[in-house]
């Protein structure tokens, strides 16, 4: 069973949104497990201090290495990647999520404050990952994002509905547009081709739309797609 261990000073906010919908049903059905470790439980002073002022001065506070180190050591982390959510981490991609979903599970360290003491990152071999180029106030929401992305890929969690969107994204294209009844809504109609019953024509239209949307919205993905397509047609 895929196991997520989350180390945080806000254990009460878990499972949060992971307890609802698809991930929640999968959690209840035993497709994955979540254990939440309260980092503050490993502080030793009467105020259960987990942070201190930065060496060298400057703004904010830094999470103490000894407290976090003890929390990691109390967690059975073997055979699972140990990730630290961080704005300076390697950007997460769907390809990486697919690899992480094939692991035994994850150990996710959520920092707060300005960050955590650099020595604990090295000493416990934490890999820094980021969910995107914007700044959050802590690692907890990022950890939930990463867990959600992994859980929906676990065997049996999602039906066949997952695969088309997945294939499209993994191939490097955005998804084609979707429609359902009514055929006409507020004067807007479903594209004729989708009502034609011609599955070849429908597939071609969806492919063309996926390519158009990628070209218009994501020039970065489109350039990468063209590079792969050209390389692929040379080598077969
Ligand atoms: C994650 C965090 C902070 C340093 C720290 C802990 N994509 C992402 N953006 N922000 C975070 C993230 C991820 N993953 C993130 C963990 C922590 C942000 N902070 C706040 C703000 C600025 N510099 C503390």
């Amino acid at each position: 069973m895929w196991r997520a261990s989350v180390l945080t000073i806000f254990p009460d906010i878990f499972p949060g949104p992971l307890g609802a919908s698809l991930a929640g049903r999968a959690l209840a059905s035993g497709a994955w497990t979540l254990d939440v470790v309260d980092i503050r439980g490993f502080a030793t002073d009467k105020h259960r201090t987990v942070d201190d002022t930065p060496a060298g001065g400057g703004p904010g506070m830094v999470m103490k290495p000894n407290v976090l180190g003890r929390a990691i050591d109390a967690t059975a982390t073997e055979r699972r990647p140990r990730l630290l959510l961080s704005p300076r981490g390697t950007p997460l991609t769907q390809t990486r999520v697919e690899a992480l979903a094939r692991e035994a599970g994850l150990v996710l360290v959520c920092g707060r404050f300005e960050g955590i003491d650099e020595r604990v990152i090295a000493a416990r071999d934490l890999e820094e990952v980021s969910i995107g180029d914007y700044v959050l106030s802590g690692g907890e929401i990022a950890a939930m994002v990463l867990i959600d992305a992994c859980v929906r890929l676990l065997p049996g969690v999602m039906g066949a509905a997952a695969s088309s969107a997945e294939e499209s994204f993994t191939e490097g294209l955005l998804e084609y547009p979707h429609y359902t009844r009514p055929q006409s809504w507020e004067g807007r109609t479903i594209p004729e081709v989708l009502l034609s019953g011609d599955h070849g024509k429908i597939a071609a239209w969806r492919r063309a739309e996926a390519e158009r949307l990628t070209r218009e919205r994501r020039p970065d993905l489109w350039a990468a797609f063209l590079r792969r397509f050209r390389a692929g047609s040379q080598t077969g």
Side-chain angles (χ1 to χ4, degrees), residues 84-88 110-115 129-140 142-143:
L84 171 67
L85 286 312
S86 161
R88 68 174 199 192
C110 302
R112 278 273 157 177
F113 321 111
E114 291 306 297
V129 297
S130 164
I131 64 158
D133 289 340
Y134 37 79
V135 183
L136 304 172
S137 51
E140 286 78 10

Side-chain angles (χ1 to χ4, degrees), residues 3 30 41-42 51 68 85 90 103 144 166:
R3 179 179 181 194
F42 296 87
D51 61 331
L68 186 53
L85 286 312
T90 305
E103 297 276 359
M144 290 176 189
E166 234 73 70

